[in-house]
Amino acid sequence: MRLAADVFVASLSAAAAAAAPGGPRSRRASVALAGGSTPRGLYRLLAAPGEPYRGCLLWEHIHFFWGDERHVPPDHPDSNFRMARETMLDPAAVPPGNVHRIPAEEPDAGSAAARYEAELVRFFALAPGERPRFDLVLLGLGEEGHTASLFPGSPVLDERTRLAAAPWVEAHREFRITLTPPAINGAALVAFLVSGEAKAAALAAVLEGELRPERYPAQIVRPDSGKLLWLVDRAAASGLSASAAR
């Protein structure tokens, strides 16, 4: 977890410092957060008063987005926004204007996705056809190989133009709002956080199996001009070959 915190700080500190008064450029640092139990531990560590990470980050210059969200209000127990707010954003006193959550309380999930895409276009000042350039996108990996809310067989895997979408996820019988592959792959750095033996088979299939993104959507994550980093624990890596696990 500390390695993940180190990556978070390193990837955002330079961008945030450059956005500070007197910096050589005006671009703000930006991160798309992941949900789930592994990121929860990371967020708590980053904002903990007794840890060094909190003081290393220029929180006032970092803008927070989300890779995906359940179709629930922001105070719902299943909300990815709520988890991040309680574990990191509130403890670190992040300015409200730096928080760009997915408006998942919208009755229509498609409208929520459209509003979120409009916010991405506004914040990144995107021209038609351009993609956001997140400084960091954090992702998890599901036991069936999904990431964000890109599930096996989802039509969103073929998306080429939209930045956010609201697919129906049959396995969970609900709509999700998610960044699309183009939005994720425009990032400067995409970091997967994977932990636990339950993820071992999926991780091995994604990293060492045949390229089948329709079956293992995490394989579709290939940054166009950025970097891809996998941060996995020993349990999750237990299914990898010796060369891949190094």
Side-chain angles (χ1 to χ4, degrees):
M1 193 59 67
R2 290 190 179 277
L3 178 57
D6 290 340
V7 169
F8 190 99
V9 171
S11 61
L12 295 176
S13 289
R25 57 191 173 93
S26 60
R27 188 170 69 87
R28 299 153 290 189
S30 57
V31 56
L33 301 175
S37 58
T38 302
R40 181 184 291 113
L42 170 63
Y43 303 157
R44 284 176 175 155
L45 180 61
L46 288 167
E51 296 289 344
Y53 305 105
R54 180 167 173 169
C56 291
L57 288 164
L58 295 172
W59 297 93
E60 68 272 22
H61 293 292
I62 301 173
H63 287 253
F64 295 86
F65 294 80
W66 276 260
D68 73 320
E69 184 61 276
R70 292 171 174 81
H71 191 205
V72 297
D75 58 352
H76 193 280
D78 293 336
S79 167
N80 288 338
F81 162 75
R82 175 178 172 174
M83 185 271 282
R85 176 177 60 80
E86 292 178 347
T87 57
M88 179 173 63
L89 303 178
D90 282 357
V94 172
N98 289 26
V99 178
H100 308 265
R101 68 176 181 85
I102 298 172
E105 70 276 18
E106 282 270 6
D108 179 67
S111 296
R115 284 182 57 190
Y116 190 49
E117 178 166 335
E119 177 62 9
L120 293 172
V121 170
R122 183 201 68 79
F123 179 84
F124 289 99
L126 301 176
E130 288 185 335
R131 305 178 182 189
R133 182 70 169 177
F134 288 106
D135 294 294
L136 174 64
V137 172
L138 294 175
L139 294 175
L141 179 69
E143 294 180 21
E144 77 287 72
H146 88 270
T147 190
S149 280
L150 305 174
F151 284 82
S154 173
V156 181
L157 296 173
D158 296 321
E159 183 61 52
R160 296 293 181 269
T161 57
R162 289 183 298 169
L163 304 178
W168 172 257
V169 180
E170 182 62 28
H172 296 277
R173 302 292 301 171
E174 64 182 2
F175 286 100
R176 297 281 186 93
I177 301 96
T178 184
L179 291 179
T180 62
I184 293 171
N185 285 328
L189 173 64
V190 179
F192 277 89
L193 308 179
V194 189
S195 65
E197 188 177 357
K199 307 293 181 66
L203 182 65
V206 169
L207 294 183
E208 299 185 322
E210 180 184 355
L211 183 61
R212 298 175 58 199
E214 76 286 351
R215 174 65 182 87
Y216 301 106
Q219 291 180 330
I220 209 167
V221 178
R222 296 186 170 190
D224 303 319
S225 59
K227 297 179 180 180
L228 177 61
L229 180 64
W230 288 85
L231 300 171
V232 305
D233 65 10
R234 290 184 181 276
S238 62
L240 297 175
S241 64
S243 59
R246 281 201 291 265

